[in-house]
Amino acid sequence: MPTLSISAALLVLGKTEALPWSSPTWQDLTNSVGVPWETLPDATPDAPAPNVPSWSTHVAQSVKAYAQNLWARSDTMDQIRYSARATSDNDSTGRSAWNSWVDDHWNKSWNLGRRVNEVFEECKCTQYDALSRAKTQHLPTLDDAQVPGRVTIPLAHALFGDSAYDEGDAGFLKIEVKNFIDVLMVITWHRYRQAVKGEITRLQKRQDALDVDWLAITQEGMKPTIKMIKLYLTRLERVLKILLRYKDSKSIAAVQAKRKTLEAMLAVAQNDDTMKDDIDKLPKVLRDALQKLASAEDVQQLELLLKVALETLDSDDAGPPVQLPEGPSLDFPWQEGTEDLAKVSEDDLWANLGLKESKRLPFFQEFTDPDGAIEPWSDEGEKWLASDSNPREPLRPRWHQLVGIYRMLERAFESQPVLLMDGVGIGKTFQVIGFVACLAFFHRYFEKNNKFPGAFASKKWQGQEDNIPNLPVVITCPVNLHNQWSREIERFLKRGTFDLFPYTGKLGSRRQWWTDIFPKSQHILLHRIVLVTESALQDDASVVFMDVLRDVTSTLRNAPSRATRGEITLYGSKYLALIVDEAHQARKFNKIHTAIYALRAESAAMVAMTATPVMTKLHDLWIMGHVMGIPAFANKDKFDEMKKELNRAQARDRKAERASDDAADRLRGLLKGLEEHNTIANSELYPKIQEWMPRIRDAFAKHVIRRTLDSVDNLGEKIFGMQPYREHIMLVELREWETQALSALTSEIADDSALPTIAGAGKVSPSSLLWKRASRTPPPRMAGHTPHSSLTIVVRHAGVTEARHQLSITFLSACAEIQLCCTQRASWTPVF
């Protein structure tokens, strides 16, 4: 069905209260003020029009005449025909000038096409959203995709703000505005339809080319080389990026089949026999080629490409990241953030927290089940923990965990957010729950003593004379970690000291949550923990806010629905502390970033948790600082300057790489290090990263807590608590052919000049490479041979943090499997 063009629809809208030109929102979006065709009373025909300097007064008057004649046609079809008239008439000048002006500005200057796309994306109504719901590669109609019901009001608000609504009822749009939005949705949907058709055509062509590449490496009689396999994987990755956008059964089946093929190829390259069934399904020609890779470098290159392709299947970030060059000199060490506490004793830390006598964290369990088999907040669990006949273990914080809790409390008192970046195994969850418990203890202490305990006695809570406010704590985490967080909270906190409230699902399933469920607690607010999934948080944010943040200076705009439904969302309450697990999820300007940014504004303190301090872009760290509210990261000019410099440098590097005679040079540099390849030395991007990374790190300095397994406590001992290793030397008899094979391999590797370089770069250890390469040329099975000589296996191991953890090392030979098992309480025992 024919429709008005955008320029004609915009002109028709101009009949209503000078819309959109009188809308402050429109003026902000387009940097335009006033009706375009306005002219000065005494202006000459050649004088520039005041609001559109590129027009003369005569042209502006012609546009006005065209507008008036278009308005005089009340029938929509008549308007369509008149606005599209190609033959010359009295309005030709005005029509042409108007259409050209709107066409030139809509996308280029006003960027309104992008803004429309953003609204469709926020409402989950893009072409890919519709295709996913319909499970087809053919875009449904606008109505069948249910777009108008979800997009009309948000899009009108995004373009015209409050000016879009009828004065009599703020919940309804002015009819003229609705008509314009209807036209805009139809045109946008047609654009989406054309884009899908073009993409499907390109996809088919790429799949056909990919089939040819596949035959070249799998057809009987072919001799595929590493170069041919790499070409196939590179092209496959491009196809997968497109194919993943479609959720129809054909596309899903294709993706699943490709995944199995990639996993099987990776298993062959890594000599992983656990996927034997899938490996056997690969064409023999390809299996043989993968098993006969010429060198360790070929193995590494192929593994890298296979992993990239598999990561593509799991990635939802299609943007091209600024890649961080590899290399040992790209190590920008973070400060631990606790250097001033490095020599403070554990006793003094307890005293600083006001816990000198008890030396126990308030409200914490005294014991824990090391196997995690019991439910601590059940009757049976309480009895189990209370009985000293059970293999319970004391639940005590280590020195570094007390340091972390103390530092988080200090920052909370100063209204400063914390980025807790301790490495895996250091105990971030324990520290955060300890931080929450200490806040509750400080609140109670102040009520009784009119001051805070320990070293905080002279401090004020965020500059106020009053007590820590009685507000709940909110913890956000990915859906898959929700149960784990529940278990950890119940494991650490004593039953009955806090109430835990899961907050999951869609808003429609939680309409009575804040009135019927949350008030049931008998605890004060500070002893209530709201455990929120990221999806529930985003759902609440979509009800309260019109759009997502797009840069560091964006401001959130309330949706009309906030007035009626805001109180039944997370944004209708205040919180003492916001804890964000997996905070790197907010490293982009996306929905979760917006949701967390807005919830931080409702919280007195914030702790963001991540073990991933550097992501795919330096931009990510900046955006992380923004979501935490660190002032240095609110500078848009600096942010834009950094992006521009990095992107330009990377573009020049890529251009130089494409011009290089050796396309694999950069990959070999990544695999072997810098000794033989000067990728980093010749890079323009690397110096820019060196310049910007320390600035970002320094801006985070006051907010970061970052300890690793190599960090030490006040006594100089490693905080991870690993005991010194012990050596256990065992003799394993070798057969004659095994001795010969081992001798040959030893000589070969000793002569391999690349090996020390690889090991030095931290990519592959010599021992793992030895056994990997040994397995590629398996010795003949010679059952019945008597053992001839022996091999000494030196096993070095250390104690582990939990006594029941088991460490196993397996040595495989062609004839026998020898498994060496140990625990902290047992010596090494060979099992045949």
Side-chain angles (χ1 to χ4, degrees):
M1 180 178 176
T3 187
L4 288 167
S5 65
I6 288 178
S7 57
L10 200 59
L11 199 57
V12 171
L13 178 61
K15 183 181 180 181
T16 307
E17 302 174 12
L19 282 174
W21 324 107
S22 59
S23 164
T25 300
W26 179 271
Q27 293 171 1
D28 289 341
L29 287 171
T30 63
N31 290 320
S32 60
V33 179
V35 178
W37 50 82
E38 278 186 353
T39 57
L40 299 176
D42 301 326
T44 63
D46 294 334
N51 295 331
V52 184
S54 61
W55 290 348
S56 66
T57 297
H58 170 70
V59 171
Q61 290 170 342
S62 298
V63 171
K64 182 177 181 180
Y66 166 56
Q68 291 171 337
N69 288 329
L70 187 63
W71 295 341
R73 289 161 169 78
S74 58
D75 180 70
T76 302
M77 289 305 299
D78 195 13
Q79 290 177 339
I80 293 172
R81 286 191 291 268
Y82 189 72
S83 63
R85 182 175 293 180
T87 57
S88 179
D89 60 12
N90 292 336
D91 283 326
S92 294
T93 300
R95 184 186 296 113
S96 176
W98 175 255
N99 290 340
S100 298
W101 184 72
V102 173
D103 290 346
D104 288 343
H105 287 75
W106 184 263
N107 285 317
K108 296 177 183 177
S109 302
W110 299 341
N111 290 318
L112 292 181
R114 185 182 68 180
R115 186 70 191 100
V116 171
N117 290 340
E118 290 171 354
V119 174
F120 271 72
E121 180 182 349
E122 292 155 14
C123 295
K124 298 182 180 178
C125 288
T126 66
Q127 66 268 47
Y128 299 115
D129 293 319
L131 290 168
S132 177
R133 286 191 288 268
K135 294 180 172 56
T136 179
Q137 289 187 355
H138 303 286
L139 194 65
T141 66
L142 193 66
D143 289 332
D144 287 346
Q146 304 176 47
V147 171
R150 294 183 64 90
V151 171
T152 301
I153 290 181
L155 184 54
H157 188 90
L159 297 180
F160 310 125
D162 294 339
S163 302
Y165 301 99
D166 187 77
E167 293 181 1
D169 192 333
F172 291 85
L173 299 176
K174 294 172 180 174
I175 187 63
E176 297 82 5
V177 171
K178 180 185 178 302
N179 291 339
F180 173 78
I181 295 298
D182 286 344
V183 170
L184 190 53
M185 287 191 296
V186 169
I187 292 173
T188 301
W189 205 247
H190 176 73
R191 175 162 54 85
Y192 286 171
R193 186 179 302 281
Q194 295 304 112
V196 168
K197 286 181 179 178
E199 188 172 66
I200 292 296
T201 300
R202 292 192 299 274
L203 175 62
Q204 187 58 55
K205 290 181 179 179
R206 289 185 178 183
Q207 286 179 314
D208 292 343
L210 195 64
D211 290 342
V212 174
D213 292 339
W214 177 251
L215 287 176
I217 62 174
T218 61
Q219 201 168 31
E220 193 68 33
M222 301 298 292
K223 295 183 179 180
T225 64
I226 182 67
K227 183 177 181 180
M228 296 164 65
I229 297 174
K230 286 165 60 179
L231 177 63
Y232 170 78
L233 292 174
T234 301
R235 290 180 174 174
L236 174 61
E237 183 187 358
R238 295 172 186 165
V239 168
L240 288 175
K241 285 181 178 179
I242 300 176
L243 204 57
L244 284 168
R245 298 170 183 164
Y246 299 91
K247 305 301 180 185
D248 60 289
S249 57
K250 181 181 177 181
S251 298
I252 291 174
V255 169
Q256 290 174 344
K258 298 300 183 188
R259 180 189 292 275
K260 282 190 171 296
T261 299
L262 289 169
E263 289 173 344
M265 291 175 67
L266 183 60
V268 176
Q270 295 179 331
N271 198 47
D272 181 0
D273 292 334
T274 61
M275 295 187 62
K276 186 177 185 303
D277 292 342
D278 291 324
I279 291 173
D280 290 341
K281 294 177 183 177
L282 290 175
K284 184 176 185 302
V285 172
L286 180 59
R287 290 202 311 269
D288 292 344
L290 292 170
Q291 290 170 344
K292 296 175 182 177
L293 294 175
S295 66
E297 182 179 323
D298 288 340
V299 175
Q300 291 293 319
Q301 287 186 24
L302 194 61
E303 286 182 3
L304 179 63
L305 286 171
L306 285 164
K307 288 176 181 178
V308 167
L310 285 167
E311 287 172 4
T312 299
L313 291 172
D314 299 321
S315 173
D316 60 357
D317 180 13
V322 174
Q323 300 293 341
L324 300 179
E326 298 283 348
S329 59
L330 236 187
D331 179 20
F332 295 101
W334 291 84
Q335 297 296 315
E336 292 191 355
T338 57
E339 286 79 3
D340 57 315
L341 301 174
K343 299 301 180 182
V344 178
S345 69
E346 186 170 317
D347 286 344
D348 287 341
L349 287 171
W350 284 118
N352 289 345
L353 293 172
L355 301 167
K356 182 178 181 179
E357 301 301 326
S358 66
K359 293 186 179 178
R360 285 183 53 194
L361 289 175
F363 312 114
F364 260 52
Q365 301 274 15
E366 187 174 356
F367 297 97
T368 186
D369 171 20
D371 292 328
I374 68 163
E375 297 181 9
W377 283 16
S378 66
D379 293 339
E380 295 78 5
E382 276 193 309
K383 291 178 182 177
W384 192 95
L385 290 172
S387 173
D388 57 8
S389 63
N390 293 318
R392 62 185 188 177
E393 292 184 356
L395 183 61
R396 297 285 186 269
R398 299 176 67 84
W399 175 87
H400 69 275
Q401 292 168 330
L402 287 176
V403 168
I405 293 170
Y406 178 77
R407 181 47 39 90
M408 282 187 280
L409 287 167
E410 277 192 322
R411 295 295 180 254
F413 268 73
E414 298 166 356
S415 302
Q416 299 287 350
V418 170
L419 181 58
L420 182 57
M421 295 198 304
D422 283 345
V424 176
I426 301 299
K428 292 189 293 293
T429 305
F430 183 97
Q431 293 175 74
V432 164
I433 297 174
F435 164 68
V436 171
C438 284
L439 286 174
F441 165 65
F442 279 26
H443 177 88
R444 288 194 175 189
Y445 190 95
F446 190 95
E447 282 188 331
K448 294 180 180 179
N449 303 283
N450 202 33
K451 65 177 182 179
F452 297 111
F456 294 83
S458 60
K459 296 181 182 291
K460 297 179 180 179
W461 172 258
Q462 300 186 348
Q464 305 296 318
E465 297 289 347
D466 296 333
N467 195 357
I468 293 174
N470 178 28
L471 295 169
V473 171
V474 60
I475 300 174
T476 73
C477 67
V479 174
N480 62 310
L481 297 180
H482 196 266
N483 288 335
Q484 179 180 327
W485 264 98
S486 296
R487 291 195 302 269
E488 292 293 275
I489 290 171
E490 293 180 6
R491 177 189 175 197
F492 296 142
L493 294 176
K494 188 174 294 185
R495 185 187 186 188
T497 58
F498 281 79
D499 280 336
L500 177 62
F501 291 89
Y503 195 89
T504 62
K506 295 289 185 179
L507 182 61
S509 65
R510 303 186 252 100
R511 291 187 180 276
Q512 309 302 319
W513 196 91
W514 291 99
T515 55
D516 294 351
I517 297 177
F518 191 65
K520 286 184 178 180
S521 173
Q522 301 300 308
H523 283 300
I524 63 172
L525 292 175
L526 210 158
H527 282 255
R528 304 183 200 182
I529 299 174
V530 183
L531 183 57
V532 184
T533 61
E534 286 181 356
S535 57
L537 177 63
Q538 291 180 67
D539 190 58
D540 278 11
S542 68
V543 171
V544 173
F545 304 110
M546 286 299 303
D547 46 21
V548 301
L549 296 171
R550 294 296 171 185
D551 59 54
V552 297
T553 59
S554 295
T555 56
L556 285 172
R557 295 181 295 178
N558 290 333
S561 54
R562 179 163 195 171
T564 56
R565 295 195 288 169
E567 292 301 315
I568 62 172
T569 70
L570 288 161
Y571 300 96
S573 301
K574 297 289 185 180
Y575 305 95
L576 176 60
L578 167 62
I579 313 296
V580 181
D581 193 16
E582 301 294 325
H584 54 273
Q585 303 279 10
R587 69 188 187 276
K588 311 290 183 187
F589 286 118
N590 52 21
K591 293 178 182 178
I592 190 61
H593 177 99
T594 299
I596 292 172
Y597 180 88
L599 198 59
R600 178 185 57 79
E602 309 295 339
S603 309
M606 179 182 184
V607 176
M609 304 166 62
T610 180
T612 312
V614 177
M615 298 83 174
T616 57
K617 303 180 184 180
L618 285 187
H619 316 11
D620 295 350
L621 284 170
W622 195 294
I623 298 172
M624 284 280 291
H626 173 262
V627 81
M628 293 175 61
I630 300 174
F633 298 106
N635 189 327
K636 186 176 186 299
D637 290 339
K638 284 294 182 183
F639 180 62
D640 290 342
E641 179 187 348
M642 179 188 72
K643 286 200 301 182
K644 186 180 296 185
E645 290 184 6
L646 293 175
N647 289 334
R648 285 178 175 174
Q650 178 164 285
R652 288 191 287 268
D653 281 358
R654 285 176 173 169
K655 183 177 180 180
E657 185 181 338
R658 286 193 297 269
S660 172
D661 292 334
D662 185 0
D665 185 71
R666 180 172 179 269
L667 185 58
R668 283 202 294 270
L670 293 178
L671 295 171
K672 287 192 173 184
L674 302 182
E675 293 89 336
E676 297 180 13
H677 298 276
N678 297 322
T679 303
I680 289 180
N682 298 328
S683 168
E684 291 191 37
L685 176 60
Y686 179 67
K688 289 298 179 185
I689 294 175
Q690 282 185 313
E691 176 184 340
W692 281 100
M693 185 62 190
R695 297 185 196 176
I696 294 174
R697 184 193 57 205
D698 292 346
F700 269 110
K702 188 176 181 180
H703 307 276
V704 162
I705 301 176
R706 167 71 171 167
R707 279 81 57 86
T708 68
L709 300 183
D710 293 324
S711 297
V712 297
D713 61 17
N714 61 310
L715 301 177
E717 303 289 340
K718 286 194 174 184
I719 63 174
F720 194 55
M722 296 289 281
Q723 299 175 2
Y725 72 80
R726 301 190 301 275
E727 285 191 1
H728 298 265
I729 301 177
M730 303 181 62
L731 295 179
V732 179
E733 296 295 331
L734 296 183
R735 301 181 187 279
E736 182 176 357
W737 61 264
E738 289 175 322
T739 304
Q740 294 171 354
L742 182 61
S743 176
L745 284 169
T746 303
S747 299
E748 178 186 349
I749 294 173
D751 294 337
D752 188 349
S753 60
L755 180 61
T757 305
I758 295 175
K763 304 298 180 184
V764 181
S765 66
S767 59
S768 66
L769 184 62
L770 185 154
W771 295 115
K772 182 178 292 185
R773 294 185 65 174
S775 64
R776 294 189 184 286
T777 53
R781 294 184 177 274
M782 304 176 67
H785 275 216
T786 54
H788 178 72
S789 61
S790 63
L791 166 69
T792 300
I793 300 179
V794 180
V795 180
R796 298 179 176 179
H797 73 96
V800 290
T801 54
E802 295 190 17
R804 294 179 183 270
H805 281 189
Q806 180 171 300
L807 176 65
S808 299
I809 294 180
T810 302
F811 170 77
L812 297 177
S813 75
C815 301
E817 176 178 309
I818 304 171
Q819 186 180 34
L820 307 177
C821 303
C822 85
T823 68
Q824 279 190 316
R825 300 172 180 172
S827 59
W828 288 83
T829 306
V831 180
F832 294 91

